Amino acid sequence: DAKTTQPTSMDCAEGRAANLPCNHSTISGNEYVYWYRQIHSQGPQYIIHGLKNNETNEMASLIITEDRKSSTLILPHATLRDTAVYYCIVRGRSNFGNEKLTFGTGTRLTIIP
Amino acid sequence: DAGVTQSPTHLIKTRGQQVTLRCSPKSGHDTVSWYQQALGQGPQFIFQYYEEEERQRGNFPDRFSGHQFPNYSSELNVNALLLGDSALYLCASSSTDRGNTIYFGEGSWLTVV
C-alpha cells in the first residue's frame, strides 16, 4: 500500500471550512483515496473516497489533484462534533476486491468555539 | 439498517487466559475484518474473512485466530493473553459487490491484567 503523509494536528474555528491535506505521492493508478475519522473511543467512521475526480457527499468534499499525488478533505462548516482524528488512506484492490485499510497516525483536528 | 455490531463492549481478562470477541456485519455485507488499536495509535489490520475462509492476514502471531460463520458473522479468538494485547478490537465489514466501502463497529475494549 502507498504511504500517506498528514499533518499531526490542526485547529479550525467553528463554522469555518476545515481543509485537511494529505500527501500520497507514491499512489498507483488503481488505488483509491479514502478518508475516515475517529472520535475519541469510538470506531472509525467512513467519510468519503475517490479515485481521480472530486467527490462530494453530505459530510464532506474530497479534492484530488490532477496528478493524484495529494488530496484535501473539506468539511464545509465545521462544528464542535467534527473534533476527531482524521485518517487519509490509500487503498488498492485485492483479487476478490476487498483490500484492507492501512492506517497511519492521522491528523488530530480540533474545532475551536 | 443495523450497522456493524460487536460484543462485548468491555472486558477484563487475566494474563494467560483466552478471549473470544464477536461481530455481526452490516446487513448485506459478506466480508469481515478485524483490527487492533492500541492506545494512541491507529488501527492495525489483523485478518479478513470471506466465504468462511481467512483471505488476508496482518503481522499478528498465531495466538490470534478467527472464524466466519455461514451467516457472515465472525469471532476473533486470542489465546495466551499478554499484557500487550490490551487494546480496542475493531470489527469492520464490507461487501464484495456493493462498492467495497468498509464500515466499522464501535469496538470491544480488552484489558489484560
Side-chain angles (χ1 to χ4, degrees):
Chain A
D1 290 337
K3 292 182 65 175
T4 62
T5 304
Q6 300 178 252
T8 302
S9 63
M10 294 180 62
D11 292 338
C12 178
E14 187 179 16
R16 305 297 295 269
N19 296 275
L20 291 88
C22 179
N23 182 286
H24 33 78
S25 58
T26 59
I27 192 171
S28 60
N30 64 348
E31 290 179 319
Y32 287 74
V33 179
Y34 278 76
W35 284 83
Y36 284 79
R37 72 180 183 184
Q38 189 170 26
I39 297 170
H40 183 62
S41 299
Q42 298 181 17
Q45 178 188 23
Y46 166 77
I47 302 173
I48 198 167
H49 74 280
L51 182 62
K52 52 185 174 182
N53 297 320
N54 297 338
E55 302 288 344
T56 296
N57 62 20
E58 66 278 5
M59 289 184 67
S61 295
L62 174 61
I63 308 299
I64 303 174
T65 58
E66 192 168 342
D67 63 7
R68 303 214 319 126
K69 293 184 177 182
S70 65
S71 61
T72 301
L73 177 74
I74 301 173
L75 307 178
H77 305 288
T79 71
L80 298 179
R81 287 177 295 182
D82 292 322
T83 292
V85 177
Y86 286 77
Y87 295 98
C88 169
I89 301 167
V90 170
R91 180 191 184 204
R93 290 179 68 87
S94 67
N95 289 336
F96 69 102
N98 284 303
E99 188 54 62
K100 66 183 183 296
L101 296 172
T102 300
F103 288 80
T105 54
T107 296
R108 183 171 298 279
L109 174 68
T110 302
I111 305 302
I112 309 298
Chain B
D1 178 20
V4 180
T5 58
Q6 295 185 240
S7 64
T9 55
H10 295 80
L11 70 166
I12 301 173
K13 290 287 188 178
T14 302
R15 190 172 46 184
Q17 284 188 317
Q18 179 263 346
V19 68
T20 297
L21 307 178
R22 296 175 176 82
C23 173
S24 292
K26 185 177 170 65
S27 178
H29 286 187
D30 55 11
T31 304
V32 173
S33 303
W34 288 91
Y35 291 75
Q36 180 196 64
Q37 186 173 22
L39 206 59
Q41 299 182 20
Q44 300 296 308
F45 174 76
I46 303 175
F47 44 52
Q48 180 183 79
Y49 277 84
Y50 170 68
E51 291 186 334
E52 302 179 49
E53 291 188 14
E54 184 181 293
R55 300 289 180 164
Q56 299 181 62
R57 188 178 182 94
N59 188 26
F60 280 81
D62 292 344
R63 297 187 297 109
F64 290 77
S65 63
H67 188 78
Q68 185 180 35
F69 299 94
N71 66 352
Y72 307 120
S73 67
S74 177
E75 289 181 350
L76 164 66
N77 300 292
V78 187
N79 295 322
L81 284 167
L82 305 173
L83 297 180
D85 294 331
S86 295
L88 176 65
Y89 288 86
L90 295 159
C91 176
S93 74
S94 60
S95 168
T96 50
D97 61 359
R98 294 186 189 181
N100 300 315
T101 299
I102 294 176
Y103 295 91
F104 285 82
E106 293 302 320
S108 294
W109 283 98
L110 171 65
T111 301
V112 182
V113 297

